[in-house]
Structure formats: C-alpha cells, structure tokens
Amino acid sequence: MSTRYPFTAVVGMDDLRLALLLNAVSPAVGGVLVRGEKGTAKSTAVRALAELLPQVAVVAGCRFSCDPASPDPGCPDGPHGDGGADARPARMVELPVGASEDRLVGSLDIEKALADGVKAFEPGLLAAAHRGILYVDEVNLLSDHLIDHLLDAAAMGASHVEREGVSVRHAARFLLVGTMNPEEGELRPQLLDRFGLTVEVAASRVPEERVEVVRRRLAFEDDPAGFAGRWAGEEAALRERIVAARELLPKVALGDAVLLQIAATCAAFEVDGMRADIVMARTATALAAWAGREEVTSEDVRRAALLALPHRRRRNPFDAPGMDEDKLDETLERFKGDEPEDDPDPGPDGPGDGGPGGGGGVPPQGGEGPASETDGVPEQAPAQAPEPEPEHAPRGAAGERAAVKAGEPFRTKTLSVPGLGEGAAGRRSRARTQNGRTTGATRPRGTLTKLHLSATVRAAAPHQRARGRSGAGLVVRRDDLRQAVREGREGNLVLFVVDASGSMAARRRMGAVKGAVLSLLLDAYQRRDKVGLVTFRGRAAELALPPTSSVDAAAARLEELPTGGRTPLSAGLLKARDVLRVERLRDPSRRPLLVVVTDGRATGGGPDPVGLAARAARLHAADGTASVVVDCEAGPVRLGLAGGLARDLGGTAVTLDELRADAIAGLVREAQVNRSVRRAA
C-alpha cells in the first residue's frame, strides 16, 4: 500500500484541518465541503485524515462492517451470531465522478430475484464507506441523482435500494468529505445545505510558507516512508487526541445561553431552515471536546458559525459565500450570557504550550516552521457594483466605453434544443436518461440497470413449457431481460454570442442586454447546463469564457464587458463555430444551444459584412446547431435585421420583452380574455 502524506505535515490551512478534525471527533456534524482553487492540497489533506482515525471493530465476514457490539438487525448478511470480531483500519472510500448509480448504492441480481425470489445483493461504495470516510473529489461535477443518493444516505445513516418490488436496506454512516473547484461550477443551494461545514482554501501568498510547502513535498516524494516516519510521533499524538475528544464529547454541556446565541446568529444571517442551528450546535460541542472542555463557550459558537453558515447564505449562484464578522460579533455580544471563560486555544494545533498534535508543525529534525496567516475564515468583502457611466463619459482611443452594470435578472422563457438527446442529465431539453418516465423497452447493453418488468415477462412467457416449468415461479433466462427506456431532461451547452459593439453601447440599452444575459445564465444554472461566452466588437471576436459549468464565472466576465467599436458579427459567429467544433469532440453527447444577443447590425469584418454574417450563420444551420437570436434592437423604427439573422441560422428570434416569462404569461392571459370577450359577444 502506498504511503500517504502525513496530516500533521500539511502547512497552514488551519480552517480545513480543523473542520476535518471536528468531523473525526463528531461525525454527526455532517461532513465537510472544501472549496478552493486547483493545487491547494485539498485531496492531500482529506486522504491524510484517514490515517488518523482509530481502528474499527467489525463482525467477521460481514460485508457491511457491522459493529459487533450492536450489529445492524436489518443487515443483508445478518442475522449475526457469535461469529467473532475483527479489527481493521477505518476505510477511506473514493467516489469517482463517472461512477454509476449501481456502483454507488449497490446492485441486485434481478434474474435471481425474479426466478428464485433470492435477494442477491452486491454492496456498493456506500456500504464500503460505513464507519469510515466517503471522499468525493469534484463533487460539483457529479450527476444530480448520484448526489441525491449520497446526501440522503449521509442524512439518514442508511442506504435503500428499491428495484421492481425488491428492497434492500443497510447501514451507511460515514464522514462525508467533498472537494470542488468553484471555477468548474457550483452545487445547488439545497445540496450545499446538506454539508455540515464548508471551508474556502487558497494557496498562501506568504513566500516563506510556499517555500516550506515545496520543501516538504519534495522531501516526501524523494522518500515517502522516511518522511512519514519523521512525522510518526506527531501523527500518533494527534490520533490520541481524537480518541480523547470522542470520549469527552458525550459529557460536553450545551447551555441555554449558548443555544440562544446559536439561534440568534442563524436568525440574524437569515439562514433558511433549521439545519444550520443543529449543525452549529454539534460543531460548537465538538470544538469544546477538541479543546478538552466540558462546556461550550461563545468562542466555540463564533468558530462554529464561520464554518457552518457561509455556504448557507447563498441565494443564487452569483452570491459570493462569506460572513460579515462584525455583524457576527455584534450578535454574539448582544445575546451573551453568563458562561465560562473562553479557552484561548480551541484550534487544531494542540495546546498553547506547543505540545504534540500540531498540524503543520515542525518535524523532529527540522527548524521552526512558518505560522499560518490566520486562525479564522478570512472576511470576504462584498462585490462592488461598477459605478454608472455618465452620459458623456470619456472614451478610449478606440471609442471604447467603460463596463455598464447589468440590469436586474428576471425569469426567462424556456429555451430548448429540439429533438431527443442522450446527454448528461439536466433540466432543459428532452433526452433518454437513466431517470424519468418509462417510454419503452430494449435489450440491455452491458449491465441491466432499470428492469422493464412487463416486457421481461412477455419475453419469457412463450418459453415456459420448453424450459420445463413445473412450479409457480417463472423460468427467466438472461436473454429475457429487458432494459427500460426512460425519457427525462438533459443539460446542454449554452454558448452566448454577445454583441459588444458601439451600436449596443447606450447605457440603458446595454444594461438591459446584460440583465437579459444574466437572466439566461441563472436559467442555465438551474437547468444544469454548461455555458460559454463569445463577445465581438471592434475588428474581432474573442472567447471571453471557455465552456464551463461555472455560471458565476460567466456572470463575472459579463459584468466586466466593455463596449464600443464596429460590429464584426461574422467574426463572432465563426468564433462560436470553432468553439462548438472543439466541444463536440470533447463531449459529443452534450447538444449545444447557440444564443446570439445582438441587434443584427454588421458593420465590420470585411468588404461585405452583411453577406459574411449571413454565410457564417448558414454554416451553423448546416451543422444542425439549435439557435436563438435575442433581438436587442430598440427605438420606434426597427430594421428587423435580427429576424433575418435567425432565419439564416435556422433558429428563432425573440425580443428582450418576449424573453421574459411573465411577459409570455401576460400575452397568454390577454389572448384568453380576448377570446372570452368575443365568445360573450
């Protein structure tokens, strides 16, 4: 087995180490979501934690890791007698992004279940992670239905597998740790809420710390066993501290005054639901046990809030996670009652006298390591909206105007790709999916995942006499099994092509255009799409944002977008075609939707800009790309150029007003009223 990097050798990252250790002390805290840029040792720290967990006693031969002291009465391998007990290290199970539902929850042998009535169950990763760690790298890239299974099991402590009337249940209690890079897309707010704690990590900007990180990593890669041996003492001390904190945890008192502070804090920050209050209470209790105290203090509540609340305050993907620490301190002080004196050292680095158990401490043979930058979650200043541009604001050399603030987003009309796709599960266009309504049956290709029961029975019925059926059971062969064909919704690649030329540069007009694109981005987030952004102005087009699942990154690029110059419409369409060509090679099953936001004018890009734009549009039509033109033309006189562009693209055109879902609903209501009036007359 490969040697893992020691937990205590991780430099800095106090919040991450503390959150992981608190969950090791009290798994009821609910796990950790680690958010951060690439290359920040997120995975290294999580994998290192597994080596610190105490060994677990399991029933000998049980595939579901039942505790000999209290075996699960519903265990599929039970009932357990006096079969003896084994001790083994706590497992860390990794869930890959491309895992199937059967790999996660386990699978039933449907053929045996139908023919013999036998529950032949093959455990999945949830069973393997029971009483250990379940680690999900890039959790934001998992399919929604896998995340739902995962979080349901984490919340209930059990996994249920239901297939065609056959039901299996087994215990699944584990420490859930997910890591994600926000640049690759966000989790839905309701899924964020299911993680107990969240931590933001970033690479240190202190040169001395960066030097120490590189020095330790190179030493580990040169001699993994030797490096780990030099940290063995600190690892053992930290392991003992975890055990001691676990034993102390049931004795920790959570007073009424502390509970009032927790409730007041959650109310002050307008957190939805009651899960935040419960998680804060469990986290504060674990902090007290970790510090060796039997009473929770205000400082415990404060640190618990910094770990448990930031991700629960997001209302949409464009909100930055974070906490107003001044407001937090004010709330805690206002509701502070009589309590014991705060312990000055509740952190992960051990006692204040430099005792053992310090994360990121000094190896026995080395000099003194650098201290971490901060002990708490850094306060994030709210994003500042750009100042409105004056009517006669100065322009750059190329006539470029400063960026204009986007208008308020609104609920948009549903845009979709016609036909039936087979892309990643989402909520935009019709597709064949693993989950959805059943529309037919087919022979399975590979492992059977969704049985079509009636089709299977019909396939087996004509052969019963030839197969010598004598009893009540149906004689089923592998060739009889039929896979259910299901229809649901898929996510698409929505590629925005935004006109940022001088014809769009009027302040109010561009603000409305940006507001419309922002609304479409929010819609794309809700429908699980990937998004990309191409802009064109002056003499050329550029890919402002390559296709990504991070709609907040697209919103940030949109907010910074300046305007001005000529209108190279053909360049924008050709750039979009190049992007789509590459994406078809990378992800051929994800169908694209091209959204062109323009007034239809073309004044740059060649000697015949209008003709070039029309030819570029017809190339998209020849590729079969679904497209929508958002017509931004304003004023009493309209040239209808956007409609002509939509015809060349083989798509449809909608105005900014028609894009609003409430405007569409208003037109429908008005038509219904007019129809009723005509009938009455």
Side-chain angles (χ1 to χ4, degrees), residues 573-605:
L573 294 174
L574 292 175
K575 172 64 75 173
R577 188 166 183 255
D578 289 341
V579 173
L580 294 179
R581 177 178 55 81
V582 173
E583 286 302 308
R584 284 190 180 99
L585 296 175
R586 289 177 177 171
D587 191 356
S589 64
R590 188 181 289 270
R591 297 187 295 164
L593 175 62
L594 183 69
V595 179
V596 184
V597 185
T598 180
D599 56 10
R601 289 181 172 84
T603 60

Side-chain angles (χ1 to χ4, degrees), residues 318-355:
F318 310 135
D319 292 339
M323 291 280 289
D324 183 344
E325 294 195 36
D326 291 337
K327 181 178 179 180
L328 174 60
D329 292 336
E330 179 183 340
T331 303
L332 292 176
E333 184 63 31
R334 179 182 175 189
F335 290 91
K336 187 174 184 178
D338 296 332
E339 60 174 27
E341 184 178 351
D342 290 352
D343 190 308
D345 178 55
D349 292 336
D353 59 1

